Amino acid sequence: MKRLAIKTVAVLLATGFGAGPAWAAETLQDVMKRRGLGQQDLMAAVKTYTPSGKRDEFLAFSSGGQSGQVLVYGIPSMRILKYIAVFTPEPWQGYGYDEESKAILKDGWIEGKEITWGDSHHPAISETLGQYDGQFLFINDKANPRLAVIDLRDFETKQIVVNPIYKSEHGGAFVTPDTEYVFEAAQYAAPLERGKFYPLEEFNEKYRGGMTYWKFDREAGRLVPAQSFSIELPPYSQDLSDAGKGPSNGWSFTNSFCSERYVGGIEKGRPPFEAGCSAKDTDYLHVINWKKAAELVAQGKAQKINGHNVLTMDTAVKEGILFLVPEPKSPHGVDVTPDGKYIIVSGKLDTHVSVYSFDKIQAAIKAGKFESKDPYGIPVIGMRDALQTQVQLGLGPLHTQYDAKQCVAYTSLYVDSQVAKWNYCEGKVLDKIPVHYNIGHLMTMEGDSTKPKGRYLVALNKLSVDRFNPVGPLHPQNHQLIDIGNDKMQLLYDMPLPLGEPHYAVAIEAAKLKPGVRYKVGTNSRTDKDHPGKVRAGEERIERKGNKVTVYGTLIRSHITPEIIEVEIGDEVTVNLTNLERAEDETHGFAISTYNVHASIEPGKTVSVKFKADKEGVYPYYCTEFCSALHLEMQGYLLVKPKGWTPTKKEIAKAAYTETDYRATLKKIVDTQAVIDSVVAFITSTNYKDFPDVVGMVEDATDQLGKIPDAKSRHEAAAAKKDWEHANLWAEQVYQYQVKAADIGLRAKTYLEQNGAKKLK
Ligand code: K7E
Ligand code: CUA
């Protein structure tokens, strides 16, 4: 060791490293000068820098836009922690390459059409009493109207549902304050009946928008299509929504942006959509009593369209659950204040934000005071009767989020490329900060719940232009972290996001999340149930029924059982694999050459891959995660043999090990046992039983050691017969079990040392 260290220093000196005087003793001032940093930069660095091993205070879940995924990153460090596969196959997680996740993706096919991507827009965290509870995450797909459920116990997608009546869906996912429903709005109007064509000339009569409320079963962790319903709406291009809370709980609010019902067609000499869709000064805020709507559905007042419960506009109007309020001008975001009293709407083409009063809206409804009806008979409340105030903020206001401080809100200004901080109670602007560039959504910590946490704001910018090193014409997105703890906002950090356009993000206090580190052995992680293909150690087998071959295998450092799978051409092969590890972060991957299958098998999980062995030949399979020192040896062969093949050669070539080899291996075993004994002595001298993670590791290590007697009796039996080949190999296997046990033991020891284990007396 010492010799090596001296050698390394010598090499460094010889290559010029450390030769300059600045290397050893650079001061903070030196570094600032060298990198051109000022005091503000230093402050920003100190506010975001997260030393090795330290964790973030908040976790952000960001839409992955066209990638159809969800990104997870920490705040304030802005370190990316995970991409969660949702609407798109994702090889690392085996998503779309193993049978369990294929089943999830298949539920997202539309009328038999396979869909392999999504345009994910708005994530939402499940809420209890209007506050984030950290249990589930929902996200929508705008392009193919779908909604997905992610369980935050394992950060895996559990369900995808297809909206039964829409052709697109932008304004989702939003949750009601107790996550009774997850709701989404149609965007581009289309006929509601599946597979039905109506010409654009019948737009006003046959094309429809709508709001869908998906019933969520928290216990099961799944959306329940049979208990979900929609409300038919005019073809007004419904956009974003928000749920009422506190006094406005039971209601939801939805924007629209082409209430002109304009249909473009430059080809036919008509002015384009953009001209016709922004011609009027106002669009409509849709005000819906979803609680009453749910009761009406329960009373059987819904109609079935494509097998789905739909309350028609006529019913909604007659029952008094649907109202419109004019809102200026092609609005985008609608955001209910934390106290549930106000609804803040931003008109993209207006310089104001409009603050609507829920009380005033209710008073108008009670008094039957409507200024008109829309062409479909929906009562329209006068804008003046509903407005609390309007505040001039700047150009292109889009979305609003809230602060922990009373009445303080932040609104993104797309055209101005700014964030405006303002007070919605007093109607005045407090501060503005430039962002880079063209901000879309913005996010404060838990900023759309009833208890926003303040602290930080992230600007989700649409363009990054010159902020990063150029990487070709397609630029990364730019998430900018802003400190909002003080009166003046301070820009802290630019984070490039190279994975689709993230539209919205939500951030939750990290302490609220309690994800597991392993599954109960044999779990199908997509259903949360026992996997029929699971086996325990020693139960591994290969079964054949006709041309169907089913493998029941296991994975544990560092071998795959079985190691050889022999099939005949044309066989249908299913490989079930259970990861028997209990240690944290001991994932194994499984890949077979050429057959396009891959699985990620985390501790305890059972996964299956399926394929038709339609290519004769020899196909190595192996573990794709570097899981142990002998990871590369975690391998096997799939042999696809021609029909009726018989072997000519019976023996596998030998290595010709001698008695000397065998004795050397035995010596190695004795030495390793000494290491194991010392680790065991350390662990058992502490209160390790108070640490569930360590208890799991100790069980894992004991498992490995428990395999030794069998291998030992085999090497002794072979030695007795002077079969040095097998004696040495089985002795080597004893050594491998020891190495794995020692590895786990050392990890447990480190864990105990780092987590303040106490010495037992
Ligand atoms: Cu990009 Cu909410 Cu889909 Cu706004 S959305 S900017
Ligand atoms: Cu298991 Cu590499």
Side-chain angles (χ1 to χ4, degrees):
M1 276 300 268
K2 210 166 162 201
R3 277 245 313 279
L4 192 79
I6 290 165
K7 218 168 124 192
T8 310
V9 171
V11 169
L12 285 176
L13 287 173
T15 52
F17 257 96
W23 186 61
E26 224 180 2
T27 64
L28 181 60
Q29 275 68 29
D30 293 337
V31 178
M32 287 174 68
K33 199 165 153 220
R34 179 163 57 79
R35 301 199 64 214
L37 305 177
Q39 285 296 331
Q40 276 283 56
D41 299 319
L42 206 63
M43 190 59 143
V46 172
K47 284 181 178 181
T48 56
Y49 177 67
T50 306
S52 176
K54 290 257 162 34
R55 295 180 182 178
D56 281 297
E57 299 165 61
F58 296 94
L59 283 200
F61 295 89
S62 171
S63 108
Q66 301 90 329
S67 76
Q69 302 176 352
V70 167
L71 293 123
V72 188
Y73 60 81
I75 292 176
S77 77
M78 306 302 267
R79 296 178 299 188
I80 295 176
L81 300 170
K82 197 169 217 173
Y83 296 154
I84 305 173
V86 186
F87 297 112
T88 308
E90 197 286 307
W92 173 45
Q93 293 159 57
Y95 195 73
Y97 302 91
D98 68 41
E99 291 304 304
E100 294 68 31
S101 58
K102 276 189 194 165
I104 303 279
L105 282 167
K106 194 164 182 194
D107 284 338
W109 293 13
I110 299 181
E111 293 174 77
K113 261 205 165 319
E114 178 174 9
I115 296 172
T116 55
W117 81 290
D119 186 13
S120 63
H121 275 245
H122 305 101
I125 292 175
S126 57
E127 294 179 8
T128 301
L129 293 171
Q131 295 186 43
Y132 290 1
D133 57 36
Q135 291 184 359
F136 297 94
L137 184 80
F138 309 95
I139 190 154
N140 71 315
D141 170 10
K142 167 170 168 166
N144 321 289
R146 300 180 295 173
L147 202 61
V149 180
I150 295 158
D151 193 327
L152 294 179
R153 284 177 305 180
D154 60 359
F155 286 50
E156 281 201 356
T157 301
K158 304 288 176 170
Q159 185 185 26
I160 296 175
V161 293
V162 176
N163 189 291
I165 55 172
Y166 304 151
K167 294 294 182 294
S168 67
E169 177 265 289
H170 178 245
F174 298 97
V175 300
T176 56
D178 276 308
T179 323
E180 304 98 321
Y181 291 92
V182 185
F183 56 101
E184 54 177 0
Q187 181 127 86
Y188 306 115
L192 299 183
E193 302 107 300
R194 275 218 168 119
K196 191 86 184 161
F197 168 77
Y198 293 105
L200 287 161
E201 286 73 12
E202 293 178 40
F203 190 87
N204 292 355
E205 299 79 36
K206 299 292 190 193
Y207 288 49
R208 289 291 176 264
M211 281 297 303
T212 300
Y213 299 83
W214 290 95
K215 177 77 190 160
F216 185 61
D217 179 344
R218 195 188 281 269
E219 201 57 33
R222 301 292 185 278
L223 300 164
V224 190
Q227 292 175 38
S228 305
F229 66 92
S230 297
I231 298 171
E232 177 199 22
L233 293 176
Y236 290 162
S237 298
Q238 284 79 28
D239 200 29
L240 293 182
S241 303
D242 202 2
K245 41 190 116 165
S248 54
N249 187 8
W251 293 74
S252 66
F253 311 93
T254 304
N255 278 333
S256 59
F257 63 77
C258 189
S259 58
E260 291 86 351
R261 296 182 291 169
Y262 182 73
V263 179
I266 315 187
E267 312 70 20
K268 298 185 176 169
R270 289 174 60 79
F273 275 105
E274 58 177 323
C277 280
S278 56
K280 283 201 310 173
D281 277 342
T282 55
D283 287 283
Y284 287 126
L285 175 69
H286 299 59
V287 176
I288 295 173
N289 186 337
W290 62 260
K291 256 203 182 135
K292 189 147 175 220
E295 287 163 23
L296 296 173
V297 173
Q299 291 160 19
K301 299 211 166 137
Q303 235 180 280
K304 293 271 183 199
I305 300 181
N306 310 326
H308 170 72
N309 295 315
V310 180
L311 289 170
T312 62
M313 286 191 281
D314 286 350
T315 307
V317 170
K318 201 170 79 209
E319 301 283 350
I321 60 163
L322 171 62
F323 307 91
L324 300 172
V325 188
E327 51 180 7
K329 184 167 182 182
S330 304
H332 192 31
V334 49
D335 301 281
V336 176
T337 55
D339 59 14
K341 288 186 184 163
Y342 303 107
I343 303 123
I344 294 178
V345 170
S346 306
K348 293 191 289 275
L349 304 178
D350 187 33
T351 56
H352 298 85
V353 281
S354 303
V355 182
Y356 290 89
S357 155
F358 181 71
D359 278 353
K360 288 188 177 182
I361 290 173
Q362 289 305 309
I365 292 172
K366 281 216 184 75
K369 192 173 176 221
F370 304 114
E371 68 172 22
S372 62
K373 285 187 172 178
D374 87 331
Y376 302 92
I378 305 170
V380 179
I381 300 166
M383 197 156 140
R384 276 172 201 292
D385 294 330
L387 262 185
Q388 180 73 14
T389 181
Q390 285 186 308
V391 185
Q392 182 151 26
L393 290 187
L395 294 177
L398 290 185
H399 300 285
T400 298
Q401 289 263 297
Y402 301 97
D403 201 328
K405 294 173 203 125
Q406 275 255 306
C407 302
V408 175
Y410 301 84
T411 298
S412 52
L413 302 174
Y414 175 83
V415 178
D416 277 342
S417 289
Q418 286 180 332
V419 171
K421 174 181 181 178
W422 57 291
N423 183 308
Y424 57 85
C425 302
E426 292 165 20
K428 67 173 190 222
V429 178
L430 303 171
D431 188 26
K432 282 189 184 181
I433 189 170
V435 292
H436 316 88
Y437 301 88
N438 297 95
I439 178 173
H441 277 272
L442 74 185
M443 154 185 81
T444 55
M445 305 301 99
E446 304 195 10
D448 58 14
S449 73
T450 55
K451 281 245 161 56
K453 297 285 182 290
R455 306 286 307 279
Y456 303 105
L457 180 150
V458 176
L460 285 72
N461 304 315
K462 299 296 185 192
L463 305 181
S464 62
V465 192
D466 57 1
R467 304 316 282 182
F468 305 111
N469 297 57
V471 289
L474 180 63
H475 292 229
Q477 306 284 324
N478 185 11
H479 281 201
Q480 288 187 302
L481 181 70
I482 295 168
D483 180 354
I484 55 167
N486 306 299
D487 290 342
K488 295 288 292 173
M489 293 180 273
Q490 185 199 355
L491 180 62
L492 298 179
Y493 194 77
D494 284 15
M495 177 174 66
L497 272 186
L499 191 92
E501 181 194 330
H503 292 266
Y504 184 41
V506 285
I508 180 171
E509 236 169 18
K512 286 187 181 176
L513 296 167
K514 304 255 177 329
V517 297
R518 65 183 72 79
Y519 293 97
K520 188 179 142 239
V521 178
T523 302
N524 174 343
S525 67
R526 302 292 169 181
T527 61
D528 303 322
K529 302 207 169 88
D530 264 8
H531 195 294
K534 72 168 187 179
V535 284
R536 301 197 163 270
E539 298 171 356
E540 297 92 346
R541 64 192 186 274
I542 301 177
E543 284 176 0
R544 172 181 282 281
K545 281 200 188 102
N547 72 337
K548 290 196 170 45
V549 176
T550 309
V551 178
Y552 297 87
T554 60
L555 302 152
I556 194 155
R557 277 162 288 170
S558 309
H559 53 264
I560 303 168
T561 310
E563 299 196 324
I564 294 154
I565 302 172
E566 295 181 59
V567 302
E568 269 190 5
I569 189 144
D571 283 348
E572 280 175 34
V573 185
T574 306
V575 182
N576 299 290
L577 290 167
T578 302
N579 181 342
L580 298 176
E581 310 274 357
R582 264 165 299 195
E584 183 166 1
D585 199 16
E586 268 310 330
T587 295
H588 300 288
F590 180 75
I592 305 178
S593 167
T594 315
Y595 277 98
N596 199 38
V597 293
H598 182 240
S600 170
I601 310 120
E602 296 90 58
K605 207 190 227 185
T606 300
V607 175
S608 59
V609 297
K610 204 170 171 177
F611 56 94
K612 191 168 167 131
D614 52 7
K615 273 193 165 317
E616 179 187 316
V618 174
Y619 302 93
Y621 55 83
Y622 67 98
C623 167
T624 59
E625 286 271 341
F626 207 109
C627 53
S628 53
L630 292 178
H631 147 79
L632 294 175
E633 290 77 356
M634 201 162 169
Q635 59 170 356
Y637 281 107
L638 166 73
L639 306 174
V640 182
K641 302 184 289 192
K643 280 241 169 339
W645 178 86
T646 49
T648 47
K649 216 172 163 184
K650 294 264 158 67
E651 286 278 320
I652 287 178
K654 286 192 174 182
Y657 291 114
T658 62
E659 182 173 4
T660 320
D661 297 322
Y662 177 55
R663 299 286 161 216
T665 308
L666 291 185
K667 166 92 171 47
K668 198 160 68 173
I669 290 172
V670 173
D671 295 347
T672 311
Q673 194 55 45
V675 177
I676 292 175
D677 291 344
S678 77
V679 175
V680 169
F682 174 87
I683 293 172
T684 52
S685 74
T686 68
N687 60 333
Y688 79 96
K689 288 189 177 150
D690 298 341
F691 300 87
D693 283 339
V694 174
V695 172
M697 286 187 242
V698 168
E699 282 174 19
D700 262 5
T702 313
D703 264 12
Q704 293 287 346
L705 294 175
K707 295 171 203 272
I708 288 178
D710 178 58
K712 184 165 182 259
S713 66
R714 284 171 194 262
H715 75 68
E716 285 170 353
K721 284 190 272 173
K722 297 203 185 321
D723 175 358
W724 304 119
E725 177 91 8
H726 281 106
N728 187 49
L729 288 172
W730 282 115
E732 279 291 345
Q733 187 57 38
V734 170
Y735 172 65
Q736 286 311 324
Y737 290 135
Q738 285 183 314
V739 168
K740 276 163 241 168
D743 172 66
I744 304 166
L746 287 169
R747 265 207 248 185
K749 183 169 178 249
T750 311
Y751 185 104
L752 291 170
E753 285 163 350
Q754 287 175 354
N755 289 279
K758 290 192 215 49
K759 277 263 171 231
L760 296 177
K761 285 179 201 123

